Amino acid sequence: MKYSQTFIPTLREVPGDAVIASHRLMFRAGMIRKLSNGLYAYLPLGLRSFRKVEKIVREEMDAIGSLEIKPTVVVPGELWKESGRWASMGEALLRVKNRLGADFVVSPTAEEAFTGIVRDELSSYRQLPLSLYQINTKYRDEIRPRYGVMRGREFIMKDAYSFHTNEESLDEHYQAQGRAYRQIFKRCGLTVIPVKADSGAMGGSGSEEFMVESEIGDNTLLLCKKCGYAANVEKAGCKPDFSPRPSAELAAAAAANTPPAEKIDTPKVKTIEELCTFLNTDAKSFIKTLIYKAVNVELDLSTAPGCKNLAKNTTAPGAPESYSEAFFAVAIRGDLDVNEVKLAAVVKASEVSLAAEADVIRITNTPVGFAGPVGLGSVPLIIDHTVTGMNDAVTGALEQDKHYKHAAYGRDFTAWLIADVRTVKTGDLCPLCGGELYEKKGNELGHIFKLGTKYSLSMKVSYLDENGKSHIPLMGSYGIGLDRTLASIIEEHHDEQGIIWPVSVAPYHVIIIPIKYQGDVQVACDKLAGELEASGVEVLLDDRDERAGVKFNDADLLGIPWRIVVGDKNLAGGMVEIKRRNEKEGRLLSPASAVTEISGKVNGSKII
Amino acid sequence: MKYSQTFIPTLREVPGDAVIASHRLMFRAGMIRKLSNGLYAYLPLGLRSFRKVEKIVREEMDAIGSLEIKPTVVVPGELWKESGRWASMGEALLRVKNRLGADFVVSPTAEEAFTGIVRDELSSYRQLPLSLYQINTKYRDEIRPRYGVMRGREFIMKDAYSFHTNEESLDEHYQAQGRAYRQIFKRCGLTVIPVKADSGAMGGSGSEEFMVESEIGDNTLLLCKKCGYAANVEKAGCKPDFSPRPSAELAAAAAANTPPAEKIDTPKVKTIEELCTFLNTDAKSFIKTLIYKAVNVELDLSTAPGCKNLAKNTTAPGAPESYSEAFFAVAIRGDLDVNEVKLAAVVKASEVSLAAEADVIRITNTPVGFAGPVGLGSVPLIIDHTVTGMNDAVTGALEQDKHYKHAAYGRDFTAWLIADVRTVKTGDLCPLCGGELYEKKGNELGHIFKLGTKYSLSMKVSYLDENGKSHIPLMGSYGIGLDRTLASIIEEHHDEQGIIWPVSVAPYHVIIIPIKYQGDVQVACDKLAGELEASGVEVLLDDRDERAGVKFNDADLLGIPWRIVVGDKNLAGGMVEIKRRNEKEGRLLSPASAVTEISGKVNGSKII
């Protein structure tokens, strides 16, 4: 392809919102242009690399027997109402009414569409397992899209969904997807951190995220240098740094030497820090108690304190019951933070958030700042594991300007539920090996997930087994964001001058730069381009009437893996200059040797 | 690919709404499933053929130097407001508000997006010509989607847009697109009728539609067997079957022997038929006068009767002015119909429709049924060419139960505008050669169109010429509906048993059917499949445990071009049975010969 015949509007300047390297470079290299906030058009150069990522993803999906289909992008709202996500998904779901007033969704993901399609076709166990995927447009109405295609509103996702008769079959395909993902990222030249989304402490592995390290990542990862443990903070566990008590009785016994709980005056002392100063002790001696509001709670609260009259959501028959909202008190050691994602998982809620002040006052019967577990009966009390080890603690007394000293779990209060809800952080101990954990920011590129019967149940999918008995299939879902993958490749492969493409996803393999595209040089360039193309190498021939310096700078910016410079002087000696994008100096080679070397490398390796 | 490892849910029955062959067969062959009215998912088999059509389109676009880009599917409403189509497009445009209240459009076409992208990059004439295309999701909120993917709401369109400094350059690319389209349809095995959308009588060729004949086509084509003239009824012209008068004076002179216009009583006579009976004459002697309402009229009406106070739309500076609505009287010979698309083109309106009864009464000052050109001064009068030849006609007298006899154009009335607005029909004469025209129903698969400056003007695109002077580029647009193309291939290539794929777009080239997939037959099938695949042939191996009859029926239904049957008996003689889908009888060949024959044909031809 001649440069003059394509459309690569390179730029020296970048828009103000381009704060990360991939955004800046994709913009400067003429790969993308902004249509609107979070909406980007791929120009020819960008689309070439994008299609290579797409091809790699498709090949690896086909290799594990997943079958490509193409549902629509606009899908009936009815399907989303069946699954319950029409109500639960919030504003990121772009809802549309058509001219007849019917509800539609611009797909942000496609569990509903795939489940709907399979439901209508599935009758026998003989049709399972079945894995289907699409590579298709998705839209999420992000409130604050950023970083170019890294976090856009519209993007292309590969999403696969699988259907199984049993756990073993689901696990087998889940593992195959995981291997395919590793292979995809490897072929893209990406260093990913596969993160088991379950904490090691909890066991199991129903979910794995594929992260790339990124300073602008919206995930915090906890990593162990010693054993390789990696977990999202939303799920990460840690070795106990306290004495856990297996039961309330044992805890009470451990408090035998603790003086009785004593209510003390703590005037105008509200924060943990103020209390530490006031009582001259440290945060680890406090039990912090927070009131949370949870929505769409599936946990059974029929016997929980204060929950008798909770309103239930209407649900499909057979689907789990849920409460539209419920409040919980959560007690945790004073130096720790409650992780809301973990808490939401514990109470099986779609979302949890700190309760509003008015709710806190109503529930604790005291102003904010004096909540505590002792005597609290208005809502279910969840305590973090750490609290089970506390037999001489300070905590709020449910009374203005009052705290308890010497409060002991098991003796002065018990819990409705004990769970791990702490936010693990740098310095905590690896749940697997006890090594020290450290934090990194990460961006999620892919996610594989065992859905179980969540969708097959709510959307009433079933099949008959060999005895004619009806069952509900297990499902898995497996997604990769292609735009984000492409941007992440650039994040990992660039320098000050521009992109440094891995060969597998480079828009072209070689850029040929004539010092001046005329006479013998022109003839030599055309011949070289023809021979390279004939041997399967993709060539960009910079035939522009520009200064050599401009062409060199653009070549570095575009990041094409090989550069061949053709000039009068070298050509007179039968030579051209060949240079890898990541090398400082070029080498002189005959054109024939250049063709042999490059075509050998392009055809011989999948990544390089 | 083994049949058991893919997902081809074939069916004997079809849904009630599947009234055309392609819809029935795509459904029965498990190519598509319905998600909702007008929304179809492609299953694996359907997607394979779809991707082949896509590949053909992409190759032919690349071959003429059009560059692929990928804008988003959801685009800012702002762009559509700039072009004016936010207002003019009507309800087929799916409008969405995002969570922040901003307007978006789910693209039904992309003139706006492409023009917006190019506008921001274009500075110099040196960047032109430029042709860009996408193959991407489109959505049109059809009020009555029908016929499966033939007329769905969501579909994939290849749409290209080109930008030029002059007419010659635009025409050159327009012609190249036209050639590419012919090549695309040829490679897909389709017989298309290229229809110049301009009438031959008017000259010029700024638009060409590529039609396939179809009983359910939504276009009426006028075709001349003699010279090959083909036109959409919306544009078709014909040789005059009357004596046209070059001027009102000549027309008046021709009426020298006509008695003076005479007002007669025509009690309760309203329709042309009733008048014919009442006056014992035929419809060709009448002047039919209809009142039309037109919206977004760009024709200059500043000096037209009754138009002084028309409200104007607000438009971008430099863009043509338009009136939000205007009324016209249209007079035509009584045996003919006014073609509203032609009329809309004449008055440069986005839409015209018959005026409401109240408007007719207001404008003609009489009940509906008595409109006529004599004495009508409240709105501009447009007369069809046919009326210029009428010098002794009957027509409404603008008075209840009254008509004129002996009305003559030029003497009793003149026109504000004379134009060709008649609907041409079977039996009319070819405008090029005078041969007899006949009608066919057609479906439009593609359309190439010279847009001129419509979008570059309203959206303010400009470039500087070699002298630094600013100009507005000319544009062209070029679309093909891929889903409809695929369905049309099936319409043209099927029989009672199923589809008969052209090799170029067949989901697989060969289906291998073992009578029983076991023992020697299994070994032979696997070997055959392996050898065919190694030579570039796509194989579906029907390894299902089904009766041979079921497999044969499914093979016919799926329409795979070659069928190879492997059975114990023939295999013992070293033979397999090979049959083309469109042949009645198979032939016995050695497996090696079968491989040679099929791979030779698959690799040797683009269509077959």
Side-chain angles (χ1 to χ4, degrees):
Chain A
M1 171 67 83
K2 286 187 176 159
Y3 205 116
S4 66
Q5 286 169 11
T6 181
F7 178 55
I8 308 175
T10 58
L11 292 169
R12 295 293 136 204
E13 282 161 26
V14 290
D17 65 345
V19 295
I20 62 168
S22 59
H23 188 184
R24 277 199 309 270
L25 291 172
M26 290 178 85
F27 192 84
R28 285 190 51 209
M31 291 178 66
I32 57 167
R33 284 298 181 261
K34 185 171 173 174
L35 280 172
S36 169
N37 209 6
L39 297 181
Y40 288 86
Y42 283 86
L43 300 189
L45 194 79
L47 189 57
R48 286 181 70 95
S49 282
F50 186 88
R51 293 277 187 237
K52 292 191 178 186
V53 172
E54 183 180 336
K55 185 162 180 278
I56 289 171
V57 171
R58 182 172 283 121
E59 284 173 0
E60 296 299 333
M61 283 299 107
D62 292 346
I64 59 167
S66 197
L67 301 165
E68 189 175 1
I69 69 170
K70 189 175 81 64
T72 49
V73 174
V74 176
V75 302
E78 280 313 311
L79 291 171
W80 285 73
K81 289 173 188 170
E82 285 187 51
S83 76
R85 289 207 290 185
W86 178 269
S88 69
M89 186 98 173
E91 287 199 284
L93 184 65
L94 192 65
R95 296 167 172 87
V96 199
K97 269 199 195 301
N98 78 353
R99 68 196 297 170
L100 305 172
D103 285 321
F104 290 87
V105 156
V106 183
S107 299
T109 170
E111 281 80 0
E112 284 79 0
F114 278 68
T115 306
I117 290 167
V118 170
R119 170 178 61 188
D120 294 346
E121 303 304 323
L122 187 61
S123 53
S124 159
Y125 71 98
R126 275 184 300 240
Q127 295 167 278
L128 299 179
L130 177 63
S131 175
L132 302 172
Y133 76 96
Q134 68 175 330
I135 299 178
N136 211 346
T137 300
K138 302 287 181 304
Y139 190 94
R140 284 191 192 161
D141 207 15
E142 299 275 356
I143 194 154
R144 205 179 149 208
R146 273 176 297 175
Y147 309 131
V149 301
M150 189 71 94
R151 204 172 302 162
R153 287 192 168 121
E154 183 176 316
F155 53 97
I156 301 276
M157 185 162 84
K158 183 288 296 178
D159 44 330
Y161 306 89
S162 68
F163 300 81
H164 308 270
T165 56
N166 59 61
E167 277 288 352
E168 293 66 42
S169 168
L170 169 57
D171 191 62
E172 192 180 311
H173 191 67
Y174 175 86
Q175 301 295 345
Q177 288 277 356
R179 284 191 301 275
Y181 276 41
R182 285 168 174 77
Q183 188 62 15
I184 287 165
F185 295 124
K186 189 176 160 203
R187 289 178 64 185
C188 289
L190 276 169
T191 310
V192 294
I193 308 169
V195 173
K196 297 259 192 292
D198 289 314
S199 82
M202 290 162 71
S205 61
S207 171
E208 192 171 9
E209 295 162 333
F210 295 84
M211 298 278 184
V212 283
E213 195 183 335
S214 164
E215 58 190 290
I216 54 97
D218 44 8
N219 291 271
T220 300
L221 310 182
L222 273 298
L223 305 164
C224 174
K225 256 191 185 154
K226 208 165 142 201
C227 77
Y229 171 81
N232 196 313
V233 69
E234 296 177 348
K235 299 284 182 90
C238 64
K239 269 243 155 81
D241 51 355
F242 56 91
S243 308
R245 313 292 175 190
S247 72
E249 290 72 25
L250 283 173
N257 298 326
T258 307
E262 177 193 349
K263 201 180 278 184
I264 55 169
D265 280 322
T266 51
K268 292 181 188 164
V269 171
K270 280 183 171 182
T271 67
I272 303 257
E273 290 70 30
E274 289 163 356
L275 258 179
C276 284
T277 310
F278 187 81
L279 296 176
N280 192 25
T281 178
D282 76 358
K284 286 195 174 181
S285 307
F286 291 94
I287 298 170
K288 179 157 73 176
T289 306
L290 301 157
I291 309 299
Y292 279 95
K293 180 168 114 172
V295 298
N296 299 322
V297 177
E298 288 184 8
L299 194 66
D300 181 5
L301 300 177
S302 55
T303 62
C307 294
K308 271 199 187 116
N309 301 316
L310 282 189
K312 280 179 185 168
N313 291 323
T314 52
T315 52
E321 284 195 327
S322 69
Y323 304 92
S324 38
E325 67 174 46
F327 290 87
F328 297 91
V330 180
I332 193 166
R333 207 176 64 200
D335 61 322
L336 302 175
D337 291 320
V338 172
N339 186 297
E340 294 181 358
V341 179
K342 281 172 137 182
L343 177 61
V346 165
V347 301
K348 300 183 181 175
S350 62
E351 207 183 313
V352 301
S353 55
L354 280 171
E357 185 168 352
D359 288 320
V360 175
I361 292 170
R362 175 177 55 78
I363 288 164
T364 62
N365 202 23
T366 177
V368 171
F370 302 96
V374 181
L376 182 70
S378 53
V379 291
L381 173 65
I382 296 170
I383 68 170
D384 182 68
H385 284 299
T386 46
V387 175
T388 68
M390 301 179 80
N391 55 22
D392 189 354
V394 176
T395 193
L398 299 174
E399 199 173 321
Q400 182 154 10
D401 296 339
K402 302 276 183 194
H403 280 81
Y404 278 114
K405 274 166 74 172
H406 310 309
Y409 168 65
R411 186 189 67 182
D412 303 317
F413 64 95
T414 57
W416 180 70
L417 192 71
I418 303 171
D420 170 17
V421 294
R422 79 191 268 183
T423 298
V424 176
K425 54 185 194 290
T426 294
D428 284 343
L429 304 179
C430 172
L432 298 185
C433 75
E436 200 166 300
L437 295 172
Y438 64 102
E439 290 177 32
K440 271 194 180 178
K441 288 280 176 194
N443 251 328
E444 182 189 310
L445 300 187
H447 193 175
I448 62 176
F449 194 70
K450 292 182 183 175
L451 293 169
T453 57
K454 178 170 163 57
Y455 294 91
S456 42
L457 200 64
S458 59
M459 295 182 68
K460 294 181 204 147
V461 191
S462 66
Y463 65 90
L464 298 179
D465 69 12
E466 40 276 81
N467 303 314
K469 206 181 149 218
S470 180
H471 295 274
I472 291 165
L474 297 172
M475 285 177 60
S477 88
Y478 319 91
I480 285 185
L482 271 66
D483 309 75
R484 182 173 271 208
T485 296
L486 183 65
S488 297
I489 295 169
I490 297 173
E491 290 291 329
E492 189 167 341
H493 300 278
H494 72 274
D495 60 16
E496 283 299 302
Q497 279 65 51
I499 305 167
I500 307 173
W501 287 112
V503 173
S504 58
V505 289
Y508 294 94
H509 300 127
V510 183
I511 183 163
I512 298 177
I513 301 184
I515 298 296
K516 254 194 174 318
Y517 189 60
Q518 61 186 30
D520 288 346
V521 169
Q522 178 170 353
V523 172
C525 285
D526 291 351
K527 184 161 178 281
L528 195 52
E531 287 173 4
L532 283 164
E533 281 172 351
S535 67
V537 176
E538 295 165 12
V539 179
L540 183 62
L541 170 52
D542 193 346
D543 61 337
R544 293 177 300 166
D545 184 20
E546 295 279 3
R547 286 182 297 110
V550 170
K551 297 193 212 177
F552 290 165
N553 283 342
D554 274 344
D556 280 353
L557 175 60
L558 305 192
I560 315 289
W562 281 275
R563 187 186 84 179
I564 301 179
V565 178
V566 184
D568 276 324
K569 211 181 289 178
N570 285 329
L571 196 60
M575 292 290 171
V576 297
E577 190 206 73
I578 171 174
K579 186 178 98 62
R580 283 295 296 256
R581 171 65 179 84
N582 55 1
E583 291 169 347
K584 279 265 172 256
E585 300 294 329
R587 292 165 290 135
L588 292 180
L589 277 184
S590 71
S593 303
V595 171
T596 308
E597 176 170 330
I598 295 172
S599 70
K601 292 229 166 108
V602 166
N603 296 315
S605 165
K606 279 191 166 171
I607 309 167
I608 315 183
Chain B
M1 173 67 83
K2 286 188 176 159
Y3 204 115
S4 66
Q5 285 168 11
T6 182
F7 178 56
I8 309 175
T10 58
L11 292 169
R12 295 293 135 205
E13 281 162 25
V14 291
D17 65 345
V19 295
I20 64 168
S22 59
H23 188 182
R24 276 199 309 270
L25 291 172
M26 289 178 85
F27 191 85
R28 284 189 53 208
M31 291 177 66
I32 57 167
R33 284 298 180 266
K34 186 173 174 173
L35 280 172
S36 170
N37 209 7
L39 297 180
Y40 288 87
Y42 283 86
L43 300 189
L45 193 80
L47 189 58
R48 287 182 70 95
S49 283
F50 186 89
R51 292 277 187 237
K52 293 191 178 186
V53 171
E54 184 180 335
K55 185 162 181 278
I56 289 171
V57 171
R58 181 171 285 123
E59 286 172 0
E60 297 298 334
M61 283 299 107
D62 292 345
I64 60 167
S66 197
L67 300 165
E68 188 174 4
I69 69 171
K70 188 176 83 65
T72 49
V73 174
V74 175
V75 302
E78 280 314 310
L79 291 171
W80 285 73
K81 288 173 188 171
E82 286 187 48
S83 76
R85 290 206 289 184
W86 179 267
S88 69
M89 186 98 172
E91 289 199 281
L93 184 64
L94 192 65
R95 296 166 171 90
V96 198
K97 268 197 195 304
N98 79 353
R99 67 196 299 170
L100 304 171
D103 285 321
F104 289 87
V105 156
V106 184
S107 300
T109 169
E111 280 81 0
E112 284 79 1
F114 278 68
T115 306
I117 290 167
V118 170
R119 170 178 60 187
D120 294 344
E121 303 305 323
L122 188 61
S123 54
S124 158
Y125 71 98
R126 275 183 300 240
Q127 296 168 279
L128 301 178
L130 177 63
S131 175
L132 301 172
Y133 76 95
Q134 68 174 330
I135 300 179
N136 210 347
T137 300
K138 301 288 183 302
Y139 190 94
R140 285 191 192 162
D141 207 15
E142 299 275 357
I143 194 152
R144 206 180 149 208
R146 272 176 297 175
Y147 309 131
V149 300
M150 189 72 95
R151 203 172 304 162
R153 287 191 168 124
E154 183 176 315
F155 54 97
I156 302 276
M157 184 161 85
K158 184 288 295 177
D159 44 331
Y161 306 89
S162 68
F163 300 81
H164 307 270
T165 56
N166 59 60
E167 277 287 351
E168 293 67 39
S169 169
L170 169 57
D171 191 62
E172 193 179 309
H173 191 68
Y174 174 85
Q175 300 296 343
Q177 288 277 354
R179 286 191 299 274
Y181 275 41
R182 284 167 174 78
Q183 189 61 16
I184 287 165
F185 295 124
K186 189 176 160 205
R187 289 179 63 186
C188 288
L190 276 169
T191 309
V192 294
I193 307 169
V195 173
K196 297 258 192 291
D198 290 315
S199 82
M202 290 162 70
S205 60
S207 170
E208 192 171 11
E209 295 162 333
F210 295 83
M211 299 278 187
V212 282
E213 195 183 337
S214 165
E215 57 189 291
I216 54 98
D218 44 8
N219 291 272
T220 300
L221 310 182
L222 274 298
L223 304 165
C224 173
K225 257 191 185 154
K226 210 165 142 200
C227 75
Y229 172 81
N232 195 315
V233 68
E234 297 177 347
K235 299 285 182 90
C238 64
K239 270 241 154 80
D241 51 354
F242 56 92
S243 308
R245 314 289 177 193
S247 72
E249 290 72 25
L250 283 172
N257 297 325
T258 306
E262 177 192 347
K263 202 179 277 186
I264 56 169
D265 281 323
T266 51
K268 290 182 189 161
V269 171
K270 282 184 169 185
T271 68
I272 304 258
E273 291 69 31
E274 288 163 357
L275 258 178
C276 285
T277 311
F278 187 81
L279 297 175
N280 193 26
T281 177
D282 75 0
K284 285 194 176 182
S285 306
F286 291 95
I287 298 171
K288 180 157 74 177
T289 306
L290 301 158
I291 309 299
Y292 278 96
K293 180 169 116 172
V295 298
N296 300 322
V297 177
E298 288 184 9
L299 194 67
D300 180 6
L301 300 177
S302 55
T303 61
C307 293
K308 273 202 185 115
N309 300 316
L310 281 190
K312 279 178 185 168
N313 291 324
T314 52
T315 53
E321 284 195 327
S322 70
Y323 304 92
S324 38
E325 66 172 47
F327 290 88
F328 296 91
V330 179
I332 193 166
R333 206 175 66 199
D335 61 322
L336 301 175
D337 290 320
V338 171
N339 187 297
E340 294 180 358
V341 180
K342 281 172 138 179
L343 177 60
V346 164
V347 300
K348 300 183 181 176
S350 62
E351 207 184 312
V352 301
S353 55
L354 280 171
E357 185 167 352
D359 289 320
V360 175
I361 293 169
R362 173 177 57 78
I363 287 163
T364 61
N365 202 24
T366 177
V368 172
F370 302 96
V374 182
L376 181 70
S378 53
V379 290
L381 173 65
I382 296 170
I383 69 170
D384 182 68
H385 284 298
T386 47
V387 174
T388 68
M390 300 180 80
N391 55 21
D392 188 353
V394 177
T395 193
L398 299 174
E399 199 173 318
Q400 181 154 13
D401 295 340
K402 302 276 184 194
H403 280 80
Y404 278 114
K405 275 165 74 170
H406 310 309
Y409 167 66
R411 184 188 69 181
D412 303 318
F413 64 95
T414 57
W416 180 71
L417 191 72
I418 303 172
D420 171 17
V421 293
R422 78 191 268 184
T423 298
V424 176
K425 53 185 196 288
T426 293
D428 285 342
L429 304 180
C430 173
L432 298 186
C433 76
E436 200 166 298
L437 295 173
Y438 64 101
E439 289 176 32
K440 269 192 180 179
K441 288 283 178 192
N443 252 327
E444 182 190 309
L445 300 188
H447 193 175
I448 61 176
F449 194 69
K450 292 182 183 174
L451 292 169
T453 57
K454 178 172 164 54
Y455 293 92
S456 42
L457 199 64
S458 59
M459 295 182 69
K460 296 183 202 146
V461 191
S462 67
Y463 66 90
L464 299 179
D465 69 13
E466 39 276 79
N467 302 314
K469 205 179 148 218
S470 180
H471 295 274
I472 290 165
L474 297 171
M475 286 176 60
S477 87
Y478 320 90
I480 286 185
L482 271 66
D483 309 75
R484 183 173 268 208
T485 296
L486 183 65
S488 297
I489 296 169
I490 297 173
E491 290 290 329
E492 190 167 340
H493 300 278
H494 72 273
D495 62 15
E496 282 300 304
Q497 278 66 51
I499 304 166
I500 307 173
W501 287 111
V503 173
S504 58
V505 289
Y508 294 94
H509 300 125
V510 183
I511 184 164
I512 299 177
I513 300 184
I515 298 296
K516 254 195 172 320
Y517 189 61
Q518 61 186 29
D520 288 346
V521 168
Q522 178 171 351
V523 172
C525 285
D526 290 351
K527 183 160 181 282
L528 194 52
E531 287 173 4
L532 283 164
E533 282 172 351
S535 66
V537 176
E538 295 163 12
V539 179
L540 183 62
L541 169 52
D542 193 346
D543 62 337
R544 294 177 298 167
D545 184 20
E546 295 279 2
R547 285 182 298 108
V550 170
K551 297 193 213 177
F552 291 166
N553 283 341
D554 274 343
D556 281 353
L557 175 60
L558 305 192
I560 316 289
W562 280 276
R563 187 186 85 181
I564 301 179
V565 177
V566 184
D568 276 324
K569 212 181 287 178
N570 285 329
L571 196 61
M575 293 290 171
V576 296
E577 190 206 72
I578 171 173
K579 186 177 99 62
R580 284 295 297 255
R581 171 63 179 84
N582 56 0
E583 291 169 346
K584 279 268 170 255
E585 300 293 332
R587 292 164 292 134
L588 292 181
L589 277 182
S590 72
S593 304
V595 171
T596 308
E597 175 169 332
I598 295 172
S599 69
K601 291 226 166 113
V602 166
N603 295 316
S605 164
K606 282 192 166 169
I607 310 167
I608 315 185

